[in-house]
Amino acid sequence: MTALAAKRRHPAAFAFLLLLALLVTGTAYAAFAPRPAQAATLGADQVVEGKKLFQANCSTCHGLNAEGKSLGDGTEAGPALAGVGASAVDFQMGTGRMPLAAPGIQAQRQQKILFTPEQISQVAAYIASLAPGPAVPTSSDYDPATGNAAKGGALFRVNCAMCHNFAGSGGALTRGKYAPSLMGVAPKDVYEAMVTGPQSMPVFNDTNIDPQGKRDIIAFLQTVHDSPTPGGMKLGALGPVSEGLFAWIFGLGILIGCAMWLGQKSA
Amino acid sequence: MSASTSSRPADALRDGDSKHAAPTSKAAQKVGGVAGWIDDRTGAAGGVNYLLKKVFPDHWSFMLGEIAMYSMIVCLLSGVFLTFWFVPSAGEVVYHGSFAPLQGVKMSEAYQSTLDISFDIRGGLVIRQIHHWAALMFTVAVSAHMFRVFFTGAFRKPRELNWVIGCILSMLAIVEGFAGYSLPDDLLSGTGLRAAEGFMQSAPVVGSYLAYLVFDGPFPGEAIIPRLYSVHVLLLPAILIGLFTAHIVLVAVQKHTQFPGPGKTNDNVVGYPVMPVYAAKAGGFFFIVFGVISLMAALIQINPIWGYGPYDPSPVTAGSQPDWYMGFADGALRITPNWLEFTALGYTVSLNIALGALGLIPVFYGVAIAYPFVEGWIKGDKGEHHLLDRPRNVPVRTALGVAALTYYFIFMFAAGNDIIAIKLGMSINDITHFFQATLFFLPMLMFWITKRICLSLQRHDRDLVLHGRESGTIIRTADGKFFERHEDLDPYTRWPLVQQDPVHPIQLESGVDANGVARKGARKERLRAKLSNFYFRDAVNPVTPAELAAAHVGPGHEAIDAEPPTHEIEPDKVDGRMGIDAVHDDSHEFGSSTH
Ligand code: HEM
């Protein structure tokens, strides 16, 4: 027998074994627990860098630890971000919506993106490290070439047209909010918008619209955007309002002009 | 119309007019031979001759009706083309045509055939777009034509009946357009039908039965498209053409009205005879209208049904609007507040829907149809009118018309509240509230503004007649005074400014007779006097010859202006009040009939 066997009844042995067991289960849980795909690939320093960026740029509204911040009068400066996922951050920062320049009715897409893709992925890593959420999609997730535009059109009309209009040219919501035009929005942004549901837009998770359906929708939007317009100019694709306005102003205007011209030609 | 200043009928030749010589060339003789052959068998020459010798006055606003007429003809022609391919059926098919984004999608035969017209039939798309643009231009021109007739008082006796026909035509045109818009069975037209079904259901008591009757069961069913098709290509076109013919025949029989001007009186028509001048102009104008519509159809997309996708009751798209002519009803629906829906005796009464969607069109057209009769009654005017009013000379009518149009356009723009919201970056709720509020003050405000403008224009006219134009020449008199010389208007310019009848509100007789017994109809008379007062209280009347004469007796004026104080506009026209046709004895009734 060895000294180890002799010491197995030592009072400290129980504590030691308990520690060991905890360590093993903990590690095993960490290894097997369901988690976002990117978690394993993100380095710890990514998260650290991301946290720094976040605290410098976002914490005024979202709180130092992204726990959200209320303004006291019942409204919030920014919502809690644990669980929104890397995808939400990538969408919000990648379209310039965040950091919000000023509180308004709705965060809007901005021309100028303040952060590099590298910095955005760092902040995304940090938010993803707080709690699991939708990951940033890979290019095969949103490749329009793998989608069926006809099916996508049907899905789009059922799920999106009521807010974004049949041609994706945008529509009004209540109290000054609006669903923006989707023409020229990058496929990745479309995918991320569906999985994260920015602001008034609902989330379309994989049980609502499966990944293939999402690609179909993206393919549909791409087709609408790229295809020539049969029949001539679109007048903004806003439906009968612009057509009526055109008939009154230009149609009638031109015809009255002709009538006046004809009236001046006497016998 | 008793005494007439001349016995010459309105379309007869005047002294000095030369008759057209009979055609003498060989070809012309041949044509004449054929015409004679036809005439011998139909007796058409008399009627044709009558029509060809008719005289039409020239003014651009008289062409609005023609634009409507020609657009309707374009609708008819292009519509016939569409019927060759359109399949009015709700039967379900799977699309395999050449429009890739809809490959393999389930749709109705109606929608499929419209896609085929658009993509697989040569020239189909442009004809579809011609049909739809022509429909929009038709309704636009009909409305503009109505405005013209209203503001110039062309609806007065003897043309009230034609005004009524015109109103019905305008209403049917709207319905015809809506029926056509609903045919292709795309997402927008289906949404429109869904809304129409809801409107029918909102009718108190009979609503649900009505909807079942029209749709032959629950929405959408298979019956509505074939039914709408018969209405759209058969029933309504037949009624439209019939009424339109009556409309035109009445214009020919009653002759066209004209604006007042030198030599243009209540019993002549000054213009060109149909043959050859007017026919050439009108024929040419048809091609202009057709050409402009075709150009629009060739360059600008309309109703891109392939974009809306096939109808399916579950989706709706943002920006669901009807064509503009249905807009005012849709807008009324959008701004009617929701608290108008309530339950009574266990039944839901949806006044929030019924008022705007069902009530507005009948009310609107009812008021329009009644107007000529109401105005005639208020004025006690039984005379015939062939000379148009200048809108400023009837300030209250003009202002009422503008107020009514304000209502109309508020409703119409309210139908675009979501588009306005997104284009101007405003809140749709605020816009809706804004429209609701404007309904209460804007029409009154526009009434007041318009009336003021008319009155000041009239005063300006008076001023011009009395004091002439400022000539810019400063005269110094012998005793050192300065004044600017005013140039008198020449009689031709002056005539349109002074020709109208003076007007006065009716004086109310006492409501009791000599014995203190209440008169019959006294209350009606009181109402009439009140309305008359509303119309004519602050009337600005045209300058009378006496006033004109008095104005010319000013200092210094006589020295420059040697014209005699009485200005004869037209020697045969002066009968004490300047510019009032002698024929118009009956118009003296205004003031005199009641006192
Ligand atoms: C004067 C009155 C008319 C008006 C205002 C009118 C209006 C319309 C409108 C707005 C549409 C929808 C077109 C679209 O964008 O697809 C339509 C469709 C249609 N109309 Fe008419 N229309 C008129 C007369 C006619 C006549 C006389 C016919 C046939 C003889 C006709 C045949 C059709 C057919 C077959 C369609 C469905 C085909 C399609 O939608 O492409 N229409 N009409």
Side-chain angles (χ1 to χ4, degrees), chain A residues 11-25:
Chain A
F14 178 71
F16 176 76
L17 275 177
L18 199 65
L19 264 176
L20 194 71
L22 277 175
L23 198 69
V24 170
T25 38

Side-chain angles (χ1 to χ4, degrees), chain A residues 126-137:
Chain A
Y126 164 64
I127 296 295
S129 77
L130 299 174
V136 176

Side-chain angles (χ1 to χ4, degrees), chain B residues 17 94 121 140 392 438 456 496 565:
Chain B
D17 286 355
V94 175
I121 284 151
V140 166
R392 69 181 63 169
T438 50
S456 34

Side-chain angles (χ1 to χ4, degrees), chain B residues 214-238:
Chain B
V214 171
F215 285 81
D216 196 22
F219 183 85
E222 304 240 309
I224 189 67
I225 290 182
R227 284 182 181 181
L228 277 177
Y229 186 65
S230 339
V231 169
H232 183 77
V233 307
L234 199 72
L235 182 65
L236 284 179

Side-chain angles (χ1 to χ4, degrees), chain A residues 157 161 166 175 230-231 233 265, chain B residues 129 281 299 301 315 317-318 429:
Chain A
R157 283 187 288 277
F166 67 93
R175 308 204 177 285
M233 285 181 277
K265 310 253 133 204
Chain B
Q129 303 208 122
K281 278 195 176 190
L299 296 178
Q301 190 183 68
T317 164
N429 307 55

Side-chain angles (χ1 to χ4, degrees), chain A residues 149-150 157-158 161-166 169-176 178-179 223 229-235 238-241 243-248 251-252 254-256 258-263 265-267, chain B residues 60 63-64 67 101-103 105 119 125 129 133 136-137 140 143 188 272 277 281 285 288-289 292 296 299-303 306-310 315-318 321-324 418-419 421-423 426-429:
Chain A
R157 283 187 288 277
V158 176
M162 67 284 238
C163 296
H164 287 284
N165 163 299
F166 67 93
S169 48
L173 303 180
T174 50
R175 308 204 177 285
Y178 65 95
T223 319
T229 55
M233 285 181 277
K234 284 205 280 194
L235 298 182
L238 288 173
V241 171
E243 293 160 7
L245 219 55
F246 189 86
W248 267 103
L252 191 65
I254 292 171
L255 285 177
I256 287 179
C258 292
M260 286 174 154
W261 170 76
L262 207 62
K265 310 253 133 204
S266 38
Chain B
W60 65 266
M63 305 288 255
L64 293 170
I67 299 179
L102 287 172
Q103 278 297 336
V105 172
F119 296 112
L125 180 55
Q129 303 208 122
W133 276 120
L136 292 199
M137 288 318 300
V140 166
S143 315
L188 266 194
Y272 296 112
V277 179
K281 278 195 176 190
F285 196 49
I288 291 180
V289 173
V292 169
M296 285 162 73
L299 296 178
I300 300 146
Q301 190 183 68
I302 188 164
N303 201 15
W306 55 86
Y308 299 132
V316 199
T317 164
Q321 261 93 11
D323 271 354
W324 79 265
D418 55 334
I419 304 284
I422 189 162
K423 285 292 143 193
M426 297 196 296
S427 154
I428 195 170
N429 307 55

Side-chain angles (χ1 to χ4, degrees), chain B residues 494-573:
Chain B
R494 187 188 303 129
W495 170 247
L497 306 183
V498 294
Q499 48 73 39
Q500 71 270 27
D501 294 338
V503 285
H504 305 283
I506 295 171
Q507 296 305 313
L508 187 60
E509 280 178 273
S510 99
V512 290
D513 64 15
N515 302 324
V517 179
R519 260 178 222 277
K520 261 198 205 152
R523 184 181 304 159
K524 220 166 124 192
E525 282 307 312
R526 256 204 312 276
L527 174 67
R528 191 172 136 189
K530 233 183 223 154
L531 287 171
S532 175
N533 193 44
F534 169 68
Y535 264 72
F536 302 119
R537 187 176 41 212
D538 33 21
V540 176
N541 279 321
V543 177
T544 62
E547 285 175 314
L548 190 58
H552 281 231
V553 202
H557 214 294
E558 269 175 333
I560 309 150
D561 198 328
E563 263 188 83
T566 326
H567 293 255
E568 309 232 327
I569 304 302
E570 284 216 331
D572 58 330
K573 282 281 143 48

